[in-house]
Amino acid sequence: MSGSAHSTVLSGARVVLPTGTVTRGRVIVEGERIAGSAPEGARTVDLSGHWIVPGFVDMHNHGGGGASFTSGTAEEVLKGVRTHREHGTTTLVASTVTGDLDALARRAGLLAELTQQGEIAGIHFEGPFINPCRKGAHKEDLLRDPDPAEVRKLVDAAHGAARMVTLATELPGGLASVRLLAEQGVIAAIGHTDATYEQTRAAIDAGATVATHLFNAMPGLAHREPGPIAALLEDERITVELINDGTHLHPAALELAFHHAGAHRVALITDAMDAAGFGDGTYHLGPLEVEVKDGVARLVEGGSIAGSTLTLDTAFKRSVTVDELPVESVVQAISANPAKLIGLYEEIGSLEPGKYADLVVLDAAFDVKGVMRRGEWIVNPAV
């Protein structure tokens, strides 16, 4: 099958639904959407021995396929989006990195147009409102305190496409900015932070709902100074992002987060930069030079980890095979939870009639064999 079909039945696979896994299930695709029943004569594709899971939803992604969402042209952004789609990410929020405020506002305009066209699902501003001592791969002289007026400038520049802003909420203006974002319906995410346990709790009470790549770019968990990690893990109002690439997190840290927060409060993300799906070499993340060696991205100056080269199919496979998490829990963390957070769960994030036919076909080893987005094969399992 190529392109969109009027009616297709995908049969024989293990189908992961919100209620559990059906061992020999079927998914009926009618045009762009999942249907409840199939008309006579519908084409059947036998996917016995495979899994069918919802399309992956990445709410934190800076690029891929050699293209940067922070600096590339619209066509380059689309190249990066296509790269991630081929790896099962049917919905993607484009993340920026720290830059000049006016330049970020202009960038927001371009990404807002792609959001309106349905190519991306919105914008995540990571920086410049972060703590210099936890800056990671952000240029220090461009960092600034989270002045609510400046936060509002970026949100307004996104013309309704702003989905999330990462803030060091302990900085001056942090709590006021969190309240502003909550009022605007934009996710306030705590990250690149040096906050104490108490300061983090205050930010959650002010309206923060996401932990940006938990464990990374924040103080570690200590027995007398539990810091942000304990506050973020214990609070039911927080969803924690995790980068499961084998570099950013020790498997024990991932297990701790899943065990303590529960699968319903985890969002698996890539934090990918333009090398994702492209290979080793020298790249730029915003204004900073990055060297990718053996799939690990680090700043040329200082050696900090600079995003990842991860794609969500690799995160899915690793979560199931290395970390031995239940497939249903991984589906929740990689599809349903991020879809809910960005306000799109009525359309995506699970395999239910009426939703878009966004799905991934995996073989028994959890490698991608098919990707469908809105009823159209991006990777055709029949080829």
Side-chain angles (χ1 to χ4, degrees):
M1 167 181 159
S2 61
S4 137
H6 291 300
S7 191
T8 304
V9 180
L10 310 177
S11 68
R14 293 185 178 186
V15 180
V16 182
L17 303 173
T19 51
T21 300
V22 179
T23 52
R24 286 191 59 81
R26 63 181 195 161
V27 178
I28 301 161
V29 178
E30 186 81 37
E32 290 190 335
R33 297 189 181 265
I34 298 169
S37 60
E40 268 188 61
R43 184 183 172 207
T44 299
V45 178
D46 183 7
L47 293 173
S48 299
H50 292 75
W51 294 79
I52 301 177
V53 299
F56 309 146
V57 181
D58 194 353
M59 56 187 278
H60 186 157
N61 186 318
H62 298 278
S68 169
F69 300 152
T70 295
S71 57
T73 64
E75 185 48 50
E76 287 170 333
V77 172
L78 291 175
K79 179 184 176 186
V81 170
R82 284 193 294 270
T83 296
H84 284 283
R85 285 180 186 169
E86 289 167 1
H87 290 272
T89 298
T90 51
T91 301
L92 180 152
V93 174
S95 302
T96 62
V97 294
T98 293
D100 173 78
L101 208 63
D102 290 334
L104 282 172
R106 290 193 298 274
R107 192 71 195 160
L110 181 146
L111 295 173
E113 287 184 23
L114 294 174
T115 303
Q116 290 158 8
Q117 294 165 17
E119 298 291 350
I120 61 174
I123 306 165
H124 162 219
F125 295 102
E126 187 179 17
F129 310 113
I130 61 176
N131 199 312
C133 71
R134 301 287 175 181
K135 65 182 184 296
H138 292 257
K139 200 165 189 298
E140 186 165 354
D141 61 359
L142 293 173
L143 301 181
R144 52 214 297 146
D145 290 342
D147 178 342
E150 294 185 338
V151 173
R152 180 65 184 264
K153 176 180 177 177
L154 286 188
V155 171
D156 288 347
H159 302 297
R163 294 286 175 264
M164 183 162 68
V165 179
T166 292
L167 307 160
T169 53
E170 74 278 9
L171 295 176
L175 294 184
S177 294
V178 169
R179 294 187 192 101
L180 167 73
L181 291 168
E183 289 166 6
Q184 295 290 313
V186 178
I187 296 166
I190 300 171
H192 289 274
T193 176
D194 202 43
T196 64
Y197 174 84
E198 291 76 15
Q199 288 171 327
T200 306
R201 285 182 59 90
I204 298 169
D205 287 340
T209 55
V210 166
T212 293
H213 44 53
L214 186 75
F215 299 108
N216 297 114
M218 60 182 65
L221 186 64
H223 64 298
R224 290 194 189 92
E225 294 180 7
I229 293 171
L232 294 163
L233 278 177
E234 73 183 10
D235 200 301
E236 282 291 321
R237 294 170 289 183
I238 290 290
T239 298
V240 297
E241 293 183 346
L242 298 175
I243 309 169
N244 192 15
D245 61 353
T247 298
H248 280 79
L249 297 176
H250 189 284
L254 183 94
E255 198 280 332
L256 173 70
F258 264 94
H259 176 77
H260 203 77
H264 67 290
R265 288 208 293 120
V266 172
L268 291 173
I269 61 160
T270 61
D271 193 16
M273 45 90 71
D274 39 355
F278 202 66
D280 288 359
T282 301
Y283 298 85
H284 281 86
L285 188 60
L288 300 177
E289 192 173 22
V290 176
E291 183 180 7
V292 177
K293 187 176 180 182
D294 298 326
V296 178
R298 293 187 180 276
L299 291 182
V300 170
E301 188 176 330
S304 288
I305 292 177
S308 84
T309 61
L310 186 63
T311 50
L312 279 182
D313 57 334
T314 299
F316 191 108
K317 180 173 180 173
R318 180 180 176 85
S319 298
V320 175
T321 60
V322 175
D323 303 299
E324 300 182 338
L325 292 166
V327 172
E328 295 80 5
S329 296
V330 179
V331 166
Q332 196 172 5
I334 212 165
S335 300
N337 296 344
K340 289 173 183 174
L341 280 166
I342 63 175
L344 295 178
Y345 189 65
E346 288 187 4
E347 298 278 15
I348 61 168
S350 65
L351 301 175
E352 297 177 86
K355 292 192 175 186
Y356 281 120
D358 290 1
L359 56 88
V360 182
V361 179
L362 303 167
D363 65 14
F366 299 99
D367 291 318
V368 171
K369 295 299 174 186
V371 181
M372 177 181 280
R373 183 177 186 269
R374 298 193 177 185
E376 181 176 339
W377 288 115
I378 292 163
V379 176
N380 192 331
V383 174

